[in-house]
Amino acid sequence: MLEVAFRHRFPGLSLDVAFSAPAGITALFGPSGCGKTTTVNAIAGLMRPDQGRILLEGRDLTELPPQARRIGYVFQDARLFPHMTVRANLRYPARWRRGAGRDFDRITEMLGLGHLLGRRPANLSGGERQRVAIGRALLSDPALLVMDEPLAALDAARKSEIMPWLERLRDDTRLPILYVSHAIPEVLRLANTLVLMRQGRVTHAAPLTDVLADPDLAPELGPREAGALISARVVGTESDGMIRAATAGGEILLPAMPAAEGRQLRLRILAHEVILSREAPRGLSALNVLPVRITRMRDGLVQLALGDERMLAQVTPRSAKALDLRPGIACHAIVKSVSVLPS
Amino acid sequence: MIDTGWLGPQEWQAVLLSLKVSAVATVVGMPFAVAVAWLLARRSFPGHGLLSGMVHLPLVLPPVVTGYLLLLTFGTQGPIGGPLKSLGIVFAFRWTGAALAAGIMGFPLMVRAIRLGFEAVDPRLEQAAATLGAPRAWIFLTVTLPLILPAMLAGATLGFAKAMGEFGATITFVSNIPGQTQTLPSAIYALLQVPGGESAALRLVAVSAVIAIGAVLVSEWMARRMKARLQGRADA
């Protein structure tokens, strides 16, 4: 558990940041210039805030220099030492930290760095450089890994090259990770907890699925991004190849894909892909109709209970009025499309 | 003494003395130049401008003035030279004095080059090293210093060339004693003062040109190698 509370004044921005990050990946999300990088710098000890406290697993880091904090930092620009080989970069932390460098073979294997060890940073692609930077941070025996937009400087192809490594990192290590980003797709794929920042302040900190299904918060993620993340389990394959999956509120049909029975899936259902109907609809081309109950409404976003999970639907004020939508009533959610997130 | 028949023993002495004086001036001056360049590039403190001005003084003062100031302070009666003399260290009218004069005159050039090197090193690399657990002194040795090596080389080349050519401060401070303090430029000057000395002077001019060009070529070659290493054209 990481607990952060600090204030700092800059000429153009004053920061007042407080949040705690449980195990798993916590995404620090917000627009550029809202203080995300400053926050991670304060956590890593590269910036001394005017006042505040930083605790990691109960250990007070506030007065410690970066050397003593045991926070692995993956910078947006990798910051590999240009005059050293990849191997020397990866070995760099081993000299000064007990326990550092111990998992050299496992980590180079996990990140696919074996064939790069003799190269110099200038001869690596952007994606390779970032992988080496992740490996170097992991080999410093960190108690927390902070990653400041590690994919922001990469093109789409390189991003999708790195993403599986990050997922592997999340799944193979039990290291808590603080992940700074302003890209929703990364956050959705990686994070369990979301900390929303705006103008130097933390506006919300909650489990990702809660934020996504909260009609008050979902718009902060972007106008087209409102929509929930629900879990499902594969129960069978239809004769035409479509997948049947069980959700908290009933079965749903998914496009054909290779998926073994029992596999857990994370489904992203965008609010503007959901239509509400008071009556059970008939004669529709949409395949998935789920029974739901309205729990909250706000600004054209309707929160729906699907069993014990929550999802969102977007409706116009006119439709809301015409259908007499209000919290507590049961209706049918017609889901036009579902995307399956790798997990 | 070596006598090639081309350069007389006294000329050879001047060449060797100049090489010794310049090498000592550059090597001994280097740690001080790195320290001062680091202070100027990386620290802000009261007196920053004053330090910068002091360092640059030999560049703007007439060399004779610098030489005379050296004589006043490091002479055997001077405030520094006096106490040093009782320790057995004498600068005035010795080759060590020539090295001191050459070092002082070349110092601003070395500091300027190395300072640029410090300013070109990304301090964020040092931050990254700190998050990896390395103490500050180790970061300096393993990250900063290797990255300013090309600048140190450039500074050393300039300082060495300046020392090879230093005349005014040297002759004022340590005079022009053959075998003791007569460096290459002093020897050329002395030869030009006597009838029939021109041909020997010309030979020394040729030698000094060869040394200067050689120093530049060696430094260029080393700079290319370092750059290749940094830019990764030479993988291990």
Side-chain angles (χ1 to χ4, degrees), chain A:
Chain A
M1 173 84 107
L2 168 72
E3 292 154 87
V4 180
F6 74 89
R7 285 166 203 259
H8 191 78
R9 255 173 130 50
F10 285 113
L13 178 73
S14 73
L15 284 133
D16 184 354
V17 175
F19 68 92
S20 57
I25 298 191
T26 300
L28 199 53
F29 182 87
S32 302
C34 72
K36 304 186 297 284
T37 298
T38 308
T39 301
V40 287
N41 282 346
I43 294 167
L46 299 180
M47 191 280 280
R48 261 303 147 90
D50 295 337
Q51 50 170 297
R53 246 157 94 84
I54 315 277
L55 297 176
L56 179 59
E57 316 298 348
R59 197 162 58 100
D60 190 347
L61 304 182
T62 319
E63 298 300 322
L64 296 179
Q67 283 88 345
R69 294 196 178 199
R70 284 185 60 218
I71 293 179
Y73 198 144
V74 179
F75 300 91
Q76 185 176 338
D77 49 353
R79 302 198 194 175
L80 301 180
F81 304 126
H83 55 299
M84 298 181 196
T85 59
V86 168
R87 180 183 283 107
N89 267 281
L90 293 171
R91 290 264 187 226
Y92 193 83
R95 187 178 197 97
W96 295 101
R97 277 225 183 107
R98 238 173 303 132
R102 182 174 51 189
D103 293 332
F104 190 87
D105 294 335
R106 189 179 63 80
I107 286 169
T108 48
E109 193 269 328
M110 180 180 86
L111 292 167
L113 301 174
H115 64 294
L116 304 175
L117 292 177
R119 298 230 211 130
R120 285 183 191 277
N123 294 344
L124 302 177
S125 71
E128 288 168 340
R129 243 174 259 161
Q130 214 49 271
R131 259 153 58 200
V132 175
I134 294 168
R136 188 178 66 174
L138 287 175
L139 283 164
S140 69
D141 189 31
L144 167 76
L145 192 63
V146 298
M147 307 178 98
D148 185 10
E149 310 220 22
L151 306 184
L154 306 178
D155 58 37
R158 297 278 162 251
K159 272 187 192 149
S160 49
E161 175 198 316
I162 293 267
M163 199 59 106
W165 301 108
L166 293 177
E167 285 168 338
R168 228 176 135 176
L169 184 64
R170 176 192 62 196
D171 302 333
D172 289 5
T173 65
R174 260 180 310 200
L175 192 62
I177 299 174
L178 186 61
Y179 189 96
V180 173
S181 180
H182 66 253
I184 277 289
E186 291 169 28
V187 171
L188 288 177
R189 269 181 78 166
L190 297 171
N192 333 87
T193 307
L194 194 54
V195 175
L196 291 174
M197 278 189 77
R198 170 170 294 213
Q199 289 181 334
R201 272 166 183 69
V202 172
T203 53
H204 272 91
L208 177 68
T209 45
D210 292 4
V211 175
L212 289 174
D214 188 327
D216 297 333
L217 300 179
E220 292 211 26
L221 305 179
R224 301 290 291 173
E225 298 289 354
L229 200 57
I230 63 171
S231 55
R233 186 171 44 83
V234 176
V235 291
T237 308
E238 298 286 284
S239 57
D240 59 358
M242 290 196 84
I243 303 293
R244 256 185 316 121
T247 70
E251 286 191 2
I252 195 165
L253 278 170
L254 301 172
M257 61 172 185
E261 208 169 298
R263 189 179 149 194
Q264 287 292 332
L265 302 173
R266 294 205 298 165
L267 307 179
R268 173 101 164 112
I269 301 174
L270 291 170
H272 62 80
E273 300 284 358
V274 177
I275 296 169
L276 289 181
S277 165
R278 296 287 300 257
E279 320 260 322
R282 299 171 54 172
L284 278 179
S285 66
L287 293 168
N288 292 311
V289 180
L290 295 165
V292 292
R293 179 174 300 278
I294 295 176
T295 44
R296 276 165 67 193
M297 295 176 63
R298 157 109 191 226
D299 295 341
L301 282 177
V302 181
Q303 190 191 53
L304 308 165
L306 175 73
D308 56 2
E309 296 211 270
R310 298 284 180 276
M311 54 187 274
L312 288 178
Q314 198 167 41
V315 294
T316 59
R318 178 188 284 254
S319 319
K321 201 168 171 194
L323 292 177
D324 188 24
L325 297 179
R326 55 200 147 70
I329 64 168
C331 52
H332 301 269
I334 300 149
V335 180
K336 288 192 288 179
S337 84
V338 179
S339 47
V340 179
L341 294 177
S343 69

Side-chain angles (χ1 to χ4, degrees), chain B residues 111-131:
Chain B
V111 170
R112 284 174 75 88
I114 297 166
R115 180 180 177 172
L116 287 176
F118 273 117
E119 283 165 357
V121 171
D122 189 346
R124 295 175 310 165
L125 288 175
E126 296 160 329
Q127 286 189 336
T131 67

Side-chain angles (χ1 to χ4, degrees), chain B residues 10 14 17 92-94 98 166-193 204:
Chain B
Q10 203 169 318
L17 181 70
F93 308 110
R94 301 282 171 86
E166 164 47 33
F167 176 67
T170 309
I171 207 160
T172 316
F173 183 32
V174 296
S175 184
N176 188 357
I177 310 161
Q180 285 278 337
T181 62
Q182 189 173 72
T183 58
L184 232 169
S186 322
I188 294 173
Y189 173 77
L191 285 169
L192 290 176
Q193 301 305 303
L204 283 182

Side-chain angles (χ1 to χ4, degrees), chain B residues 17-168:
Chain B
L17 181 70
S18 257
L19 287 172
K20 178 165 89 172
V21 160
S22 306
V24 167
T26 310
V27 170
V28 175
M30 182 55 80
F32 295 97
V34 170
V36 170
W38 180 80
L39 280 174
L40 292 178
R42 287 292 176 83
R43 296 277 130 176
S44 56
F45 52 90
H48 187 277
L50 188 69
L51 177 66
S52 177
M54 294 269 294
V55 165
H56 284 92
L57 217 49
L59 209 57
V60 290
L61 279 179
V64 178
V65 173
T66 307
Y68 186 56
L69 290 174
L70 282 173
L71 191 58
L72 289 181
T73 41
F74 286 91
T76 43
Q77 312 293 322
I80 301 179
L84 281 179
K85 192 193 172 194
S86 54
L87 296 172
I89 303 167
V90 177
F91 285 109
F93 308 110
R94 301 282 171 86
W95 76 270
T96 45
L100 178 64
I104 297 270
M105 293 302 289
F107 197 68
L109 297 172
M110 290 171 70
V111 170
R112 284 174 75 88
I114 297 166
R115 180 180 177 172
L116 287 176
F118 273 117
E119 283 165 357
V121 171
D122 189 346
R124 295 175 310 165
L125 288 175
E126 296 160 329
Q127 286 189 336
T131 67
L132 297 170
R136 287 175 64 166
W138 186 252
I139 296 173
F140 184 81
L141 286 176
T142 57
V143 177
T144 319
L145 211 53
L147 293 175
I148 62 159
L149 268 183
M152 284 170 64
L153 178 67
T157 311
L158 285 171
F160 183 82
K162 176 76 188 169
M164 283 299 292
E166 164 47 33
F167 176 67

